[in-house]
Amino acid sequence: MELERLSIELRPRNAWEALDLGVRLTIQHARAVYASWLAVTLPCALLIIGVFGIGMQHPGWAMLLMWWLRPAFDRVVLHVVSHAVFDEAPSVRATLRALPRLLSPRSLLGALTLRRIGTQRSLRTPVEMLEGLHGPAARQRRTLIARRVGGAATWQCIAWLMLEVILTLSLFGLCVLLVPREIMEQVNWDTLFRQDDKVRFIGQLAMVLYVACHLALEPMYVAGGFMLYLKRRNDLEAWDVELQLRRIAQRHAAANAGAALFSMLLALCIAMSVCVPTRTSAAEGAQPYTEEAPDASAPVDEEAPRRNAEPEDMARTGAIDNASAKLKQIMQRPEFGKDEKHSVLRWRNTDTDDDKPWNFPDWLGNWLLGLGKLLAGLGKMLAALGRVGGWLLIACLALAVLYVIMRYARGWSRVARRTPPPAELAGFDIRPQSLPPDVPAAARQLLREGRTREAMSLLFRGALSVLAHRDHVPFTRGDTEGDCLDRVRQHANARFVYLARLLGKWQELAYAHRIIAASDVETLCNEWPRHFAAQTEKSHG
Amino acid sequence: MLDTLRPVTTPELIELQLHPAGLMPRSLAWMIDMAVRMGITMALGVPLSALGRFGGGLLLLVYFLLEWFYPVFFEVLGDGATPGKRSLGLKVLNDDGTPVGWGPSLTRNLLRAADFLPVGYGLGIVSMLLHREFRRLGDIVAGTVVVYRDALGGLPAIANAPALAPEEPLDRMTQRALLAFAERANSLTPARQEELADLVPFLADQGRGQHGAARLIGLANYLVGRRT
Amino acid sequence: MKQEQFEQHNEASWQDFEEWLKWRHKRHAKRPGKDGKKGFAKAPFPSRELPERYRIICLQLALARDRDYTQALVEHLHRLAQLGHDVLYGAQSGFTRRVLQYAAGGFATDVRANAKWVLASALLFFGPMLAAMLAVHLWPDFAYLMLSPEQVAKFESMYGNDSRALGRVARDASTDFHMFGFYVYNNVSIAFRCFAGGLTAGVLTVFYLIYNGLSIGVVAARLGEAGLAENFYSFVVGHSTFELGAIVLSGAAGLKLGAAILAPHRMSRGVALRQAGRSIIGMVCGLAVMLFAAALTEAFWSPLKLGLPIKLTVGGVLCALSLAYFTLAGRRDGT
């Protein structure tokens, strides 16, 4: 197996994440997975539905049979998915060609009989199918793989079973919604399970929907199990580390050698990678896929012809031939026979209390009966209180509405809402006490002294101060000059035109460094009192 | 490379990895929440139904609150998780990684009604299966994502061994590989350790087998700064 | 700096950070929102230092990644950064104030901002309602298309002159409360579903609106034909503003969601949906409160047997108040 070609990210992940990744993988390769899957299962499903469900009128048998045959069908998905992780999802034709090998009677016999019932099937199938072990070795290997992630496999089995049923019900509900009410009213639900002629179609509908849901969801379940298997293998064998090490080995080889030396090293590398299986224990090894398994369908089989072109062919074949003997030998070692105990915390029992149906213990029942009369009286009292409470709620609501109106309505208690204007605005100190008593006169004085800039600054500062303190324009700290202008437009529109002109001149002077004619400043000074002098306070208060 | 992560960048320009949670744990969490809600309803239902129609009215109110606001309450005030989600190690976050607030939580839970369609969360299930980050419709509209609270759990520390200085400076890729190897070494069998060490004989000083693995761990110990 | 040095150097501050998180979690669990002075003593550093310490952790995470420290250390720092991030950016500020502000004007502003959807929803609701009323008036048997004869009989007995309370066959105090619970449960759920139905590209929302409009119209007209108009309107006039208004608003919300799917303009559907959802979730909460108020009125006020003029006046005042609220409130904020 070439980890380099793996198309899924290898990283430590928890078991749930592995299951999620299975779903993502199925969706990613949906076309290939579902094409192969449906090509095999759809004819079977139609046959079973036709013969048992419709022909023999036993939809239940058909569903049971579909369910029972799952391990066989799952192998098709597993075949596709195990190639898809290498981005080599096989075509339908390739899958069909592999079918005899996948569904060999020998491998299916156990899966469909002894091992059919079991909640960790999704996890065990990859072990059986891809590693091709038999007998006690297989059993040990399965136990090892299931040790940490078996719980997750069980939960995924339960959850998918539940989801299948729920989705079936959902589809059923959709059908019921689409069927006119008149027909539904004639359906007698009690007779649903009694094979009544009138409702037979409902049983058959349920069967078809269930099979449809099964066909849609099963690949994700299988892929989830496969991902769980890969996760466990990665935990046991640190594939991600192996990948990193291989990369630096490759680089090392490329960097350190001349052309001749390079080819030799490559040969060595390949020889080494061929040797790997022989060094590997079946339980823990990186490459348990061996030729010994006739039904192994892992991608490693397809790699064989490619590698055979290499000069180290002989070494490889030899290693492979010895593999089974070596495996058996290794399995005899003491480290594979021992039992290990792991205690794992599970939250299985947390919700049982709530799920139990409510059973009256006798004593409690009697006691409650005695209490009943008391409670009935109490109930009446509380009901009267409830009515009072209702009225109280209405009253509270009315009061709240009144309060909100009082507090926020336009014009009401304006003073209460006001926040004091900031001391500094757009870099200007706008506290009234910082201004001279007669702003225009002071500005003219400055203008005469040739300090145009200060004069303009004073005019603008004075205007903002008056707007903030007298006209209560809601400036906030951090408003820029433009923001100030916007607020003036909203709240004191009459001052807007003048302020805009003033600001324009100020910006020309301060930022564009243009010369402002003294006459312009004079005009602004003259108009200033009209908008901002103290005597206009009354009319705009 | 296929993976299930969602990277988000915080205002501090740090990349955080969110681990979105899929249908499986979420449906189990939903089952637990359902059980809790049923438990509450039943626990209140018995005494309330003794109060006659008044109790019935109260029960309806309780049921209303449980149906629509039980998840909102826990998601906003309970650290992003309902009891069911908490027991499975899940939590709800905004998709930029911030904790979920009232608005998004209300949105995703009121839209449960859409996910429920036609019956039994059919749309929600399909949406979660198809979405890259396993979101249901409510999550898509609210911009939220359900993630694993502590996805990786505790990672193992580097195996302790006498530090060994490398003969020549190691580049980053090599350093990274060595550290990863030493971190995982404790969970590997000796045979597998040797096998991995044999991939890089030039680092292991041509030391084969047990010796090579030990040498790699020693190098890693040197890299993290342990000195003996 | 080697990893071991780095760890030794910073171990204490990481532990402090983790301690602080634990401390906050505990305090939060016991007394949400209150600054407990007792708990304060146990905190390893004052809360105001959090942003700085969090930034330092972020920096250290970046360093650890850059210097290829072990995955365990990187994960540890990643976890700390994530927890700090949650605390820092998850701070809920001024929830009560936000709610009050929204009630005082934000809700009305939202409704006005979505005026075209409200209008469309109102047309889809009131149009069929008026059409049904007209149809029943012209062909009284039209009612039987929507309702079964038993249902018609039930409605007629509910609003009949001999029933002790309006709108209900029998009545006592506990029934009031029961009906209140029922109205809250039923009506609010329907409104929420009407909103959520928008995700079916608006189909379900349109269906809910038209269906509800038709059935209300049929019942109203049928009772009018039967000469029970006075009883009927005396019952519904109190709560109808809130209830019908809320139905229209929930329809508007659903339609807007549906439109985000059908015509997302220049955005992807996901983004369009998210924007639409964000812009209307407040409105949906507001309409839920409206329906709650409607349920209160319907359960406790509407069944009272008072003179029609009183009922009409109260209904009129409520209607005028609501209209004033939706047209005037929140204009000052200029948002």
Side-chain angles (χ1 to χ4, degrees), chain C residues 124-196:
Chain C
L124 281 172
F125 180 66
F126 289 117
M129 189 165 125
L130 293 177
M133 287 169 98
L134 193 69
V136 172
H137 185 67
L138 294 179
W139 310 283
D141 284 350
F142 181 79
Y144 295 108
L145 277 180
M146 292 290 301
L147 305 168
S148 66
E150 297 89 49
Q151 279 172 313
V152 172
K154 203 183 96 199
F155 274 115
E156 287 183 358
S157 84
M158 267 165 65
Y159 294 98
N161 286 319
D162 49 343
S163 72
R164 280 186 291 143
L166 292 170
R168 221 172 287 137
V169 180
R171 152 192 187 79
D172 59 53
S174 44
T175 311
D176 266 359
F177 201 84
H178 184 83
M179 289 317 286
F180 171 62
F182 175 75
Y183 290 141
V184 169
Y185 174 69
N186 195 47
N187 298 358
V188 184
S189 297
I190 286 180
F192 284 165
R193 289 202 186 97
C194 190
F195 160 59

Side-chain angles (χ1 to χ4, degrees), chain A residues 176-286:
Chain A
V176 168
L177 281 181
L178 295 179
V179 174
R181 186 177 289 177
E182 283 71 26
I183 297 180
M184 288 314 292
E185 275 166 4
Q186 286 167 14
V187 175
N188 185 358
W189 292 95
D190 295 339
T191 55
L192 182 60
F193 299 103
R194 288 192 217 141
Q195 297 296 311
D196 188 3
D197 268 351
K198 278 182 191 168
V199 293
R200 181 161 294 155
F201 90 98
I202 288 191
Q204 284 168 352
L205 181 67
M207 166 187 69
V208 171
L209 293 178
Y210 172 78
V211 172
C213 287
H214 164 64
L215 291 184
L217 293 184
E218 187 73 1
M220 302 190 198
Y221 167 69
V222 178
F226 180 58
M227 285 298 130
L228 211 52
Y229 166 77
L230 285 190
K231 170 209 147 51
R232 179 71 176 140
R233 291 276 308 264
N234 190 29
D235 285 354
L236 284 173
E237 297 162 24
W239 286 352
D240 43 348
V241 177
E242 178 177 343
L243 245 171
Q244 281 176 304
L245 291 176
R246 272 186 196 282
R247 282 200 193 114
I248 57 175
Q250 272 169 7
R251 249 183 10 164
H252 183 81
N256 279 10
L261 198 61
F262 172 68
S263 62
M264 277 179 68
L265 270 172
L266 189 68
L268 196 76
C269 273
I270 292 164
M272 199 176 73
S273 69
V274 169
C275 286
V276 167
T278 66
R279 302 176 52 81
T280 312
S281 65
E284 302 280 353

Side-chain angles (χ1 to χ4, degrees), chain A residues 45-82:
Chain A
L46 289 178
L47 190 72
I48 290 173
I49 286 178
V51 172
F52 290 91
I54 296 170
M56 295 168 65
Q57 301 285 8
H58 285 300
W61 290 14
M63 286 195 267
L64 185 70
L65 193 60
M66 277 305 289
W67 178 79
W68 195 266
L69 285 177
R70 277 178 186 201
F73 297 144
D74 286 357
R75 287 167 180 252
V76 178
V77 182
L78 200 54
H79 173 75
V80 180
V81 169
S82 65

Side-chain angles (χ1 to χ4, degrees), chain A residues 20 162 170 237 242 251, chain B residues 19 31 119 148 171 184 192:
Chain A
D20 299 342
M162 187 183 80
S170 191
E237 297 162 24
E242 178 177 343
R251 249 183 10 164
Chain B
H19 297 246
M31 267 165 57
V119 182
Y148 295 101
D171 61 3
R184 299 286 290 279
R192 179 63 182 160

Side-chain angles (χ1 to χ4, degrees), chain B:
Chain B
M1 285 302 218
L2 192 65
D3 206 345
T4 55
L5 294 179
R6 175 187 173 86
V8 295
T9 307
T10 71
E12 290 78 20
L13 297 181
I14 287 293
E15 195 180 82
L16 296 180
Q17 303 284 0
L18 304 184
H19 297 246
L23 179 59
M24 210 55 45
R26 288 176 67 178
S27 53
L28 291 172
W30 179 83
M31 267 165 57
I32 294 176
D33 278 332
M34 191 66 203
V36 172
R37 276 160 47 182
M38 265 165 50
I40 296 177
T41 318
M42 279 198 288
L44 289 176
V46 174
L48 282 183
S49 56
L51 293 182
R53 292 182 69 76
F54 172 71
L58 218 54
L59 197 62
L60 276 171
L61 281 181
V62 168
Y63 192 61
F64 165 76
L65 288 178
L66 278 181
E67 179 171 341
W68 294 102
F69 298 108
Y70 165 91
V72 178
F73 176 79
F74 281 109
E75 278 167 16
V76 178
L77 299 178
D79 207 12
T82 57
K85 288 202 182 75
R86 187 176 298 274
S87 61
L88 276 157
L90 307 177
K91 74 191 281 192
V92 184
L93 290 178
N94 289 327
D95 51 13
D96 58 359
T98 51
V100 70
W102 290 102
S105 180
L106 272 170
T107 312
R108 74 187 290 280
N109 285 306
L110 295 191
L111 288 175
R112 232 165 235 288
D115 283 303
F116 191 78
L117 293 172
V119 182
Y121 291 100
L123 271 183
I125 290 174
V126 172
S127 163
M128 270 195 261
L129 287 177
L130 296 182
H131 197 279
R132 181 192 299 274
E133 283 152 3
F134 315 112
R135 300 200 204 179
R136 59 179 177 82
L137 299 177
D139 284 324
I140 294 173
V141 178
T144 53
V145 55
V146 178
V147 300
Y148 295 101
R149 182 181 293 270
D150 194 6
L152 298 183
L155 281 170
I158 282 195
N160 236 323
L164 282 175
E167 278 96 49
E168 52 188 46
L170 301 173
D171 61 3
R172 296 191 60 165
M173 205 168 141
T174 315
Q175 291 187 11
R176 214 175 285 172
L178 282 175
L179 291 177
F181 175 76
E183 263 187 330
R184 299 286 290 279
N186 280 343
S187 63
L188 303 176
T189 57
R192 179 63 182 160
Q193 282 182 28
E194 290 165 28
E195 201 174 277
L196 287 175
D198 286 351
L199 290 173
V200 282
F202 48 91
L203 281 178
D205 197 22
Q206 306 307 329
R208 286 275 165 168
Q210 198 61 50
H211 173 64
R215 196 174 149 71
L216 290 192
I217 295 174
L219 284 175
N221 272 281
Y222 179 83
L223 287 177
V224 299
R226 288 183 189 147
R227 300 280 183 273
T228 42

